Amino acid sequence: MEQTGFVAFMARNGVAANLLMIFLFVAGIASYQTIVQEVFAENSLDRVQVSVAYPGATPDEVEESIVQKIEEAVEAVENVKQIQSNAAENTGSVTIEMELGTDIDRALDDIKAEIDQIQTFPDEAEEPDVREVTSRQSVVRVAIFGDVSENALKETAYRLEESLATLPEVSFVDTSAIRDYEVSIEVPQDTLQAFGLSLNDISRTVAASSLDSPAGSIDTESEEVRVRTIGQNYNQQNFEDIVLVSNENGTLIRLGQIAKIRDGFQDSELVALFNGKPVAFVEVFRTSNERVLDVSRATNDYLEGPFAHSLPEGISYAIWSDDSELLNERLSLLLKNAAIGLLLVLLALTLFLDIRLAGWTALGIGVTFVGAIFLLDLAGSSINMFSLFGFILALGMVVDD
């Protein structure tokens, strides 16, 4: 009786079987070049965040003119579980938590559509930023350390952060273990009395002279252009040049003439050391569909190349941790086990059966696992610690069988 079914068909049609084998091998190799690589699988948090910047606004103004309108708009979206809002100075954000199992891409589109229909945001408010809330995964942590000034250490760390962020493989870099910049202004009481000023007068003048403010928008045939006046002061020289008093005879009294201005760092108890020396940490993250091995390789190449040759005297760097090493070790273990397993299959089948049969069996095992990468990619999964562990278990069972 003639056998039927997929396996029987392939047994009778060698050309079809060979074509399928070639397809699986080529598709698997191609998928490995693009499939997402991550140390641990990233899960969706089922949350969407809407953020709107409103420069110069108080928290109450943000609550009334931004947050409440967003809340009312997103309540109409299906499968909304919970809405959390935050109104702060200059910005407001609303986080929408969706029911478990909701198609987050569709929910994101629905929320964008509702936000786009809001026509009553203040003219000074910037365009809403609507994005899915995801967890960023740290890949490489770089320590920048040395017996140098805090400013030199921070500037070097920021330079590294900006350079790494421009790499095609890297999209998010963060610097930590450093204090924020601060400009402090001290004016003696007798000086204030001599010029008939108060601290509130100086505070208002400084605030008015150091402000980026919106100046409306210009409508063109193809787009709307927002206009802003740029007047933010950032360093000691900028603040020293602020005019406090101007007399009828043209005499100008500037802030630097009556005040002691220090351009330094915020007072805090932050102390960070690496090998007993002051340190700043630069952390490189993997986001979205970026590949952890590519991120690590690009970061290490830049550190060993341009960055190492441009380090200021007295400053050194060290890779404090590299999470991609975990994935590399698991991948190396899989490849090592695969090589040993296929060798054992070849030896055993050659000794007891036939070398031609042994070769086809070993080839079939290899093609099957390469093709599994294509199916993994097709299912939207990734190469991570858990999927590689599954590959290792399956490899052991197949070789034993």
Side-chain angles (χ1 to χ4, degrees), residues 9-25:
F9 172 79
M10 287 296 179
R12 292 193 301 268
N13 296 271
V15 174
N18 290 335
L19 288 175
L20 177 61
M21 179 184 68
I22 294 172
F23 169 77
L24 288 175
F25 182 78

Side-chain angles (χ1 to χ4, degrees), residues 81-334:
K81 180 180 179 181
Q82 186 178 3
I83 299 175
Q84 297 178 335
S85 304
N86 179 46
E89 189 173 351
N90 301 324
T91 184
S93 65
V94 176
T95 302
I96 304 99
E97 181 180 356
M98 311 304 296
E99 295 287 351
L100 187 64
T102 301
D103 185 344
I104 196 66
D105 291 331
R106 180 178 177 182
L108 187 64
D109 292 338
D110 292 343
I111 291 173
K112 285 182 178 178
E114 294 294 336
I115 298 300
D116 289 341
Q117 293 180 19
I118 301 176
Q119 304 296 326
T120 54
F121 282 143
D123 293 337
E124 296 81 4
E126 298 181 1
E127 289 295 323
D129 179 23
V130 184
R131 65 177 65 190
E132 179 187 356
V133 179
T134 58
S135 57
R136 291 190 293 263
Q137 294 184 355
S138 175
V139 178
V140 181
R141 301 172 190 86
V142 183
I144 309 297
F145 61 97
D147 288 322
V148 295
S149 67
E150 185 176 3
N151 187 67
L153 203 62
K154 185 171 183 177
E155 290 298 325
T156 302
Y158 275 162
R159 178 168 60 85
L160 176 60
E161 176 185 333
E162 293 173 358
S163 299
L164 289 176
T166 61
L167 298 177
E169 297 85 357
V170 179
S171 63
F172 186 81
V173 188
D174 185 49
T175 301
S176 60
I178 53 177
R179 295 188 294 171
D180 291 333
Y181 288 118
E182 180 182 78
V183 177
S184 62
I185 302 173
E186 299 177 5
V187 187
Q189 186 65 34
D190 55 349
T191 303
L192 290 175
Q193 294 175 354
F195 288 95
L197 298 171
S198 66
L199 287 178
N200 287 334
D201 293 333
I202 293 180
S203 176
R204 286 193 296 269
T205 303
V206 170
S209 303
S210 179
L211 181 67
D212 290 348
S213 60
S217 60
I218 301 174
D219 292 326
T220 66
E221 295 181 358
S222 59
E223 61 183 351
E224 181 185 57
V225 180
R226 290 187 176 271
V227 181
R228 295 178 60 84
T229 57
I230 307 300
Q232 183 72 47
N233 293 322
Y234 292 101
N235 55 46
Q236 180 177 343
Q237 182 64 47
N238 294 148
F239 285 95
E240 288 178 346
D241 291 338
I242 294 176
V243 177
L244 293 178
V245 179
S246 58
N247 297 327
E248 295 179 355
N249 59 7
T251 303
L252 300 179
I253 305 298
R254 301 184 184 274
L255 183 60
Q257 295 176 264
I258 67 171
K260 182 179 180 181
I261 303 175
R262 290 201 305 264
D263 194 347
F265 297 89
Q266 290 183 349
D267 290 333
S268 69
E269 298 179 356
L270 174 65
V271 177
L273 300 175
F274 184 85
N275 290 339
K277 299 179 180 180
V279 65
F281 289 104
V282 178
E283 195 164 4
V284 183
F285 292 84
R286 188 200 71 82
T287 61
S288 187
N289 293 327
E290 293 171 353
R291 295 157 58 86
V292 62
L293 296 182
D294 291 345
V295 172
S296 176
R297 182 169 53 252
T299 301
N300 281 275
D301 288 346
Y302 180 79
L303 290 173
E304 295 170 3
F307 183 68
H309 296 106
S310 62
L311 272 176
E313 185 177 354
I315 298 181
S316 304
Y317 82 91
I319 297 179
W320 183 43
S321 66
D322 188 345
D323 290 350
S324 69
E325 293 178 356
L326 296 173
L327 189 67
N328 253 328
E329 290 173 0
R330 185 64 60 86
L331 190 58
S332 298
L333 179 62
L334 172 62

Side-chain angles (χ1 to χ4, degrees), residues 377-395:
D377 190 24
L378 194 64
S381 188
S382 64
I383 291 180
N384 55 66
M385 297 290 287
F386 300 113
S387 61
L388 288 178
F389 182 68
F391 270 100
I392 292 173
L393 287 179
L395 178 64

